[in-house]
Amino acid sequence: MALSQDLTETIERRNTSDQNESGNSLIGLMRKELRQALIEIGIPEKQSRMRSSQIWHWLYVRGVSDFSAMKNISKDLRKILAEHFSIARPDIVEEQISDDGTRKWLLRFASRGAGKPVEIETVYIPEEGRGTLCISSQVGCTLNCSFCHTGTQKLVRNLSAEEILLQLLVARDRLGDFPHIDTPQGAIVPGTGRKVSNIVMMGMGEPLYNFESVKTALLIASDPEGLSLSKRRITLSTSGVVPNIKRAGEEIGVMLAISLHAVSDRLRDELVPINKKYPLAELIDACRNYPNVSNAKRITFEYVMLKGVNDSLEDARDLVKLLKGIHAKINLIPFNPWPGSQYQCSDWEQIEKFADFINQCGYASPIRKPRGQDISAACGQLKSESERLQIRQRLALEAMISGHGEN
Ligand code: SAH
Ligand code: SF4
């Protein structure tokens, strides 16, 4: 297909200007952007709608990662697509499978512009009747919550919409969760029996500090003609970036989880320091105004159980008071320790007492079962391996130095 000079220039401009964002990948483009990208490489406008629908189907229903598999597209066009675009997966640096079936992948994404390649973790948690994928939104986190391992890794960068979606695509590849490539074209997305039935933005990073990419990725993940995850099965967890909670409700429309963890500003300032910027009253107000909350679509409040810090029955009483009138579910998370953490997990008996109290006040209060602990895949334990290695090396060095001191 010959391209006019104008078109060639447009493509070059597009490729250069987008290079730092998403390279030339088609993954992570909204439908109309995908169509536009096709027009820019010379696909006639009249054809572009049909072509973008076909490609969308191959990418998100069939999960192909090579243009050559797109059988209803001519060989010549597939060749042109492959010359201009990529739909490749990232490198899987490591795949770990826990005794309880939890899986963790360490993925490496190529460098963007002058930056280095980055590594992030994604976790899959199989449960009776469903499978949840825990997705990262950033490499590291800027927010330094005092009980969270990710918070000790300084932010390296935001992930792009492509990189957020690739976590879902890689997980489905590895779990055999895409329809077999040879099933007839037109195969529809199964409503049940999927390995990844739910996704939670609860991996590394604060999703509401990477709003645009998270929004694009989640809108693509919930597109009914593609990955088609119901928005009721997608949960976005935030430490409380109040202005973007409103936007998330209006522009993304997924389920909301709030990392609450404390019921007084004094303690929350210490545990979740973003509270100093957006204190409890503003946070709770944003929750009260979150659209479409009902008894069937409740807000989840996450509450990490820290021994002697936030786990008394007075705390439980104040928690119930604070959430009065909100359709809420309170998820109690036993604290997951990590090397160097300064807290201990509450005693099991105390967690149960706390849960019973809340429950008697009318709130569902499930205690989150720690999963994948043997592979450090539990909440708040994620941190990229390269960082951990550096820490291990540092600790080894420190041990050597202090060893010398003693001798
Ligand atoms: N940044 C977002 C989402 C990622 S953290 C947020 O903070 O909501 C996902 C959940 O794990 C949050 O509720 C977080 O507070 C919790 N968490 C972090 N570290 C933890 C730890 N060590 N033990 C238990 N839960 C932890
Ligand atoms: Fe960041 Fe969430 Fe960890 Fe806080 S709990 S440091 S917001 S990832």
Side-chain angles (χ1 to χ4, degrees), residues 134-138 140-141 143 145-151 200-208 236-241 257-261 268 271-272 274 301-306 331-338 341 343 368 373 378-382:
C134 180
I135 293 182
S136 295
S137 56
Q138 299 182 309
C141 187
L143 288 177
C145 298
S146 54
F147 53 89
C148 172
H149 202 193
T150 312
V200 291
M201 296 302 299
M202 292 188 189
M204 297 163 66
E206 169 48 57
L208 292 187
L236 187 153
S237 173
T238 178
S239 56
V241 186
I258 300 286
S259 292
L260 189 65
H261 308 315
R268 198 161 189 272
L271 301 180
V272 189
I274 197 184
F301 289 87
E302 295 159 283
Y303 196 94
V304 64
M305 298 300 293
L306 304 170
N331 215 329
L332 301 177
I333 318 177
F335 170 64
N336 293 307
W338 37 271
S341 55
Y343 300 103
R368 192 177 292 169
Q373 280 194 317
C379 266
Q381 292 185 323
L382 304 186

Side-chain angles (χ1 to χ4, degrees), residues 163-198:
E163 291 163 336
I164 295 169
L165 272 174
L166 280 169
Q167 297 173 58
L168 174 57
L169 299 181
V170 166
R172 294 194 64 194
D173 288 343
R174 298 297 301 155
L175 295 164
D177 204 21
F178 279 116
H180 192 270
I181 201 109
D182 290 328
T183 43
Q185 165 69 10
I188 42 160
V189 192
T192 54
R194 291 191 188 193
K195 300 245 172 60
V196 180
S197 61
N198 293 55

Side-chain angles (χ1 to χ4, degrees), residues 255-256 292-300 327-329 362-364:
M255 305 297 285
L256 180 66
N292 300 321
V293 175
S294 65
N295 204 25
K297 286 176 84 178
R298 283 173 285 180
I299 297 180
T300 301
H327 293 288
K329 170 175 135 185
Y363 291 98

Side-chain angles (χ1 to χ4, degrees), residues 207-275:
L208 292 187
Y209 270 152
N210 184 13
F211 190 85
E212 291 301 332
S213 299
V214 167
K215 172 181 163 181
T216 303
L218 294 184
L219 292 179
I220 293 175
S222 56
D223 183 285
E225 286 168 41
L227 289 157
S228 85
L229 274 157
S230 152
K231 286 188 181 178
R232 294 185 59 168
R233 289 176 176 267
I234 301 178
T235 302
L236 187 153
S237 173
T238 178
S239 56
V241 186
V242 167
N244 285 348
I245 291 178
K246 183 167 189 281
R247 285 191 66 197
E250 287 165 359
E251 299 174 36
I252 316 178
V254 292
M255 305 297 285
L256 180 66
I258 300 286
S259 292
L260 189 65
H261 308 315
V263 287
S264 70
D265 281 321
R266 184 198 52 76
L267 182 59
R268 198 161 189 272
D269 282 353
E270 192 185 310
L271 301 180
V272 189
I274 197 184
N275 193 68

